[in-house]
Structure formats: structure tokens, C-alpha cells
Amino acid sequence: MKSLVIIGAGFSGTVAAIEFLRTAPEGSTLLILNRSGQLARGLAYGTNSAIHLLNVPAGNMSAIVTEPDSYLDYCKSQDKDITSNCFTPRKMYGEYLESLLTKAESDARGRVDFKQITGNAKRISPFETGARIELDTREVILADQIILALGHFPPLSPAALRPLQDSPCFIKDPWSNDISKLRDSDSPVLLVGGGLTALDVISSLKKSNHTGEITMLSRRGLLPIPHRVSRGSTHSHPELTLELTQKVPDILGYFRTIRSYISSNPEMNWRDVIAAIRPITPKLWLNLPDKERRRFLRHLQPYWDVHRHRVAPATYEVFDASLKVKKIRTLAGRLHCAEEIASGAKVSVRLRGEQHLTDMTFNYIINCTGPNSNPSLINEELIKNLVLENLISIDAYGLGINVTQDLAVIDQTGNASSWLSYVGPMLKANLWEATAVPELRIHASEVAKKIVRLFNEEALKA
């Protein structure tokens, strides 16, 4: 009997489990291990608030590669008025994933032994032809194959805010604190970061009737950009993608080519052009030499992120309405230092284009810098042990974990594991475009099918 253990039960782990359950050979065992005990949620879909919306329309959110209307059909079963253009609550998407997993488990009953364990993996080590997993309860699990399906980790605290680490005025992780329970509804709040996390926090503050001024500080002062209310063209723009893949790979050349193409086709919406580039983004990233990758990360990544990762129109409307009545102000600058004071915190900021520091005071500071995916900076015992024991390697840019084309992890000597695979946003190290459902569903399906093939081959040998 061959066994697969999936560590992590967010989107990637859940979809890998569903795909495995659908085709695994008779006598297989599947065990899902996660610390919360809540399947099919993870950081993204664990919210219970209906105001937290998906940032992708329902029509492109199927978890199953071969069933493009899977999520839309589920939505219509809950509310017949939902269309492919709708941006639905993330809570609903978590319920959808759970329903798919429940059905896959039911259909596989008698063929696959499915178990769930609530626990925290502490260490993984090779054992015979597979592996040994130690939990923090000292329980040991043996596995023939393991899929690490670790998703997003809490944001890092900016260095300037470390003196506030233990202060009640500093919310280090906006996803683990109830923003609605801030003591004073009229308290001035500083959001450090101006991306999608900041907009989630703003929505939560507005829902809790917060009336104080919100200051949003980021290095460049870039504002989020909304999706269109209706879906755009699905034209693949082959002439552009061909030119990008054939040109000498340098980031400025890519940028100029895309900009020129958009300028030469004023009838097109730039959003459709960005969407057309998605399928070739991994190839463009892999083609770039080290110097060009570093140039992109240093100079252009924030601009790419704000145009590529757009926000649901309704979420943006809440933000835009507050901007117009000056309940939110946005600043471009760098935090220099911070100290706790009686009313909260005083921070010193060097605003963009200025040499002197500007002091500001807030009752609360919320870290909205976004999730951390650099394994060397993740404060998790499992990750630390995987690095320490040379079972995984971190890419040169701190974006994630090195893997092969079939998602086997690569150790620090360059060898691919025969029993350990990874799927999740840390694939960004190799593929760049690996943080959203349209890409992750493909990777989760591929890694599950790889393991099914391995189990079938072993069964034939037996």
C-alpha cells in the first residue's frame, strides 16, 4: 500500500488531494496534515467575512483544470444571479473547495484510504525509500511520497518597526488579528504597505465603523488598480508573445516592447495585454540572466505587481470613496524609525523626494507589506529544519524553493528528491507567475498526477 502525505490544506494542498483522489490506484493512502484542522481554507479563503472578495472573476476561478466552469456552476447553485464577471466572497470559494474535496473523498472510498490529521510537522527526514515525518506531538508518520503544499506566511516586520514588536499599538500580522476590535473607532491608523492586504484591512475597518483617518504609506506611493466590471477580451496577442520570447532577454527590452505594443493598439485595453503575457511569463523569467532579474526586482517589480494583481471593483470602490472624502491619505516614503508613546506610536518617515524626516503619530500601525515567501526568513521549525538538513534549497533572490520541472524539490547540492515535491506560491522562484489560482491549479494537478504515475509503476512491479 503506497502512501502520500500532503502537508498543508490551503488551495494547493486541497487541489492536489482532489486530483490524487480522482485517479489514485486501489490500495493507496492519502493523509492531509495541517495545523488548523480546517481543510480547503488556508490564509486566502479562511476569512468568514463576506466583504473580502476574490480578486479574479468567478469565470476564471475553477480549481479543476479540465472543468473550466466548475466554480461558476457552484456559484450558480448558491445564487442564480452570479455571472462569470462577478467577484465573489473568498469565504464562498473556501466552501467550494471543501465541497470538491468532500465529493472526491466520497467517490474514492474503498479505493483510497483518506485520513486527516490536525498537527504541526516539525521535521522531515529520509527513511528507506520514502520519508519520516515528526510532529510536534512526537507522533511519527511514514510516507512513500510527500507534497509540501505550504502557502503564504505572515509578513515580515519592517526593520524600523521592530522596536514596536511587543507593543499593543502594532499589529504585526493583519490576518491573525481582529482588526474590528481596535479600541477607538476614531483612532488614526497607519497602514504600512499599499497593496491588496492594505485594501482588505481598509474594508475591515470600514465594516467595523472606524471613522479615524487612515494613512497608507509605501515606498513609491503606488495605488491599487481595479479590475473592470466585465471581463475583457480573451485574444492571445500572438504577435506580442512571439516578439517577447524571441528577443534578447533584458527587462528594459521587455518593458519597451509591451509599452510600444499597447501604444500602437489604442483600441485594446492594457489589462488584456497583461493577461495575454501570463502564459509566457515563466519562460520570460527563466530566460533573463541574473543581472536582469535583479534589475527587475529592484526597480520594476512594484509596478508589475500593481498592474498584474488588480483588485475587485467593489473593494476598490470602498477605497476610492474614502480617498475622495479624505478619510484616507496616501504617502510615498520610507520608515526611518519608530517608538512607542502613551497614545500609540511615533514614527519618522523620509517622504519621497525629501531629505529631512517627518514625524507622525498614530494610535495603531498595521503591517500590510504582504506575505513572506523567503524560506530563510520564515520562522517555522519545519522550514528551518528542511534548510538545515539540506532537503530544500532557496533560490538566489529569496523568492522561494528550487524545484525541477516536475516539482521535485532540489537540495543544496543540486540533487532532485525522489520523494519530496512542492506546490504553492514559493514556485515563484522558478516560474515567477505562480501565486494565483489559474497557475496553481495546473501545478497542483501535475504534481498529483506525477505521484499517481509513480504508484501505478510500483504496483506493476509488484
Side-chain angles (χ1 to χ4, degrees):
M1 181 183 290
K2 291 295 181 180
S3 60
L4 165 65
V5 174
I6 299 176
I7 300 177
F11 175 83
S12 297
T14 299
V15 175
I18 292 165
E19 296 282 12
F20 179 82
L21 286 166
R22 287 182 167 195
T23 57
E26 187 170 357
S28 302
T29 295
L30 170 63
L31 189 152
I32 296 182
L33 171 66
N34 79 316
R35 70 178 68 180
S36 72
Q38 192 179 30
L39 296 180
R41 293 301 190 274
L43 184 64
Y45 313 119
T47 177
N48 288 317
S49 175
I51 64 171
H52 292 146
L53 304 179
L54 295 172
N55 291 316
V56 177
N60 198 25
M61 283 295 289
S62 171
I64 309 301
V65 177
T66 56
E67 300 170 16
D69 293 328
S70 170
Y71 181 55
L72 184 58
D73 291 343
Y74 175 84
C75 290
K76 287 181 177 294
S77 74
Q78 306 298 307
D79 182 346
K80 61 182 177 58
D81 293 329
I82 292 177
T83 70
S84 61
N85 294 325
C86 290
F87 293 81
T88 58
R90 297 207 293 258
K91 176 177 179 288
M92 179 184 284
Y93 195 74
E95 292 164 352
Y96 156 71
L97 289 176
E98 186 175 17
S99 72
L100 289 180
L101 181 60
T102 299
K103 184 177 188 307
E105 177 191 357
S106 176
D107 291 346
R109 197 166 291 141
R111 178 171 50 85
V112 180
D113 183 18
F114 176 80
K115 298 176 184 176
Q116 179 202 353
I117 292 183
T118 301
N120 198 19
K122 176 181 171 183
R123 174 175 280 105
I124 299 174
S125 53
F127 181 79
E128 296 181 351
T129 59
R132 183 176 184 271
I133 304 167
E134 297 176 40
L135 307 188
D136 54 3
T137 59
R138 298 190 178 180
E139 183 180 355
V140 172
I141 300 169
L142 300 181
D144 294 296
Q145 290 286 325
I146 297 174
I147 297 175
L148 282 177
L150 306 176
H152 292 300
F153 288 87
L156 292 172
S157 294
L161 296 179
R162 286 175 193 158
L164 303 178
Q165 281 292 98
D166 300 318
S167 171
C169 74
F170 180 42
I171 299 177
K172 300 185 286 290
D173 180 359
W175 300 300
S176 64
N177 290 272
D178 190 349
I179 301 297
S180 65
K181 292 181 181 177
L182 298 186
R183 281 198 311 272
D184 307 310
S185 63
D186 60 348
S187 55
V189 174
L190 173 65
L191 307 185
V192 181
L196 302 183
T197 303
L199 263 63
D200 275 352
V201 169
I202 289 169
S203 294
S204 295
L205 289 171
K206 293 302 176 185
K207 185 186 178 186
S208 63
N209 298 315
H210 178 270
T211 58
E213 184 181 62
I214 299 170
T215 299
M216 198 163 74
L217 174 70
S218 62
R219 289 189 177 182
R220 293 169 178 81
L222 300 175
L223 298 184
I225 297 174
H227 282 281
R228 285 164 294 180
V229 174
S230 60
R231 296 176 77 187
S233 164
T234 56
H235 182 54
S236 60
H237 299 280
E239 61 275 29
L240 172 63
T241 56
L242 181 64
E243 183 178 357
L244 286 169
T245 53
Q246 289 186 341
K247 72 184 293 91
V248 174
D250 75 89
I251 201 64
L252 188 58
Y254 287 166
F255 174 75
R256 286 173 173 164
T257 298
I258 295 168
R259 190 169 183 175
S260 173
Y261 184 81
I262 293 171
S263 298
S264 301
N265 296 275
E267 75 285 358
M268 296 177 184
N269 190 291
W270 62 264
R271 293 169 176 83
D272 298 328
V273 177
I274 296 295
I277 296 169
R278 283 180 71 167
I280 64 165
T281 301
K283 184 174 183 179
L284 297 180
W285 175 254
L286 288 170
N287 285 347
L288 286 172
D290 175 73
K291 179 181 177 182
E292 292 300 312
R293 291 188 191 185
R294 293 185 186 278
R295 180 176 292 173
F296 170 77
L297 294 171
R298 188 167 59 250
H299 299 296
L300 287 179
Q301 183 185 353
Y303 298 93
W304 170 259
D305 286 347
V306 79
H307 287 85
R308 166 65 188 84
H309 301 290
R310 301 184 296 279
V311 67
T315 304
Y316 182 82
E317 284 175 11
V318 172
F319 169 68
D320 191 47
S322 296
L323 274 180
K324 287 174 178 173
V325 297
K326 303 189 184 306
K327 286 292 185 181
I328 296 176
R329 63 170 175 164
T330 61
L331 299 175
R334 289 174 178 261
L335 283 169
H336 184 265
C337 60
E339 63 176 300
E340 188 173 9
I341 57 176
S343 61
K346 181 174 80 170
V347 298
S348 296
V349 177
R350 178 169 284 113
L351 296 173
R352 195 170 178 87
E354 296 184 2
Q355 296 302 313
H356 64 278
L357 296 177
T358 300
D359 291 337
M360 306 175 191
T361 59
F362 302 93
N363 289 151
Y364 295 98
I365 299 175
I366 304 175
N367 184 5
C368 299
T369 54
N372 169 33
S373 63
N374 184 344
S376 65
L377 300 175
I378 293 171
N379 188 27
E380 293 280 340
E381 191 170 10
L382 175 61
I383 298 289
K384 289 180 177 179
N385 284 330
L386 287 169
V387 174
L388 187 65
E389 295 172 18
N390 187 28
L391 291 175
I392 64 171
S393 60
I394 303 167
D395 74 299
Y397 317 103
L399 297 173
I401 295 172
N402 289 317
V403 297
T404 63
Q405 281 193 324
D406 66 355
L407 305 186
V409 302
I410 299 172
D411 67 21
Q412 292 157 36
T413 58
N415 295 316
S417 175
S418 61
W419 52 265
L420 181 62
S421 303
Y422 173 78
V423 64
M426 285 189 273
L427 290 176
K428 191 173 184 178
N430 290 71
L431 303 173
W432 185 259
E433 191 68 62
T435 59
V437 164
E439 286 74 36
L440 287 175
R441 64 189 171 202
I442 296 172
H443 303 314
S445 175
E446 288 175 346
V447 74
K449 289 175 181 176
K450 176 187 78 169
I451 292 169
V452 167
R453 285 195 301 271
L454 290 172
F455 284 7
N456 281 327
E457 289 168 5
E458 290 295 326
L460 288 174
K461 290 177 185 176

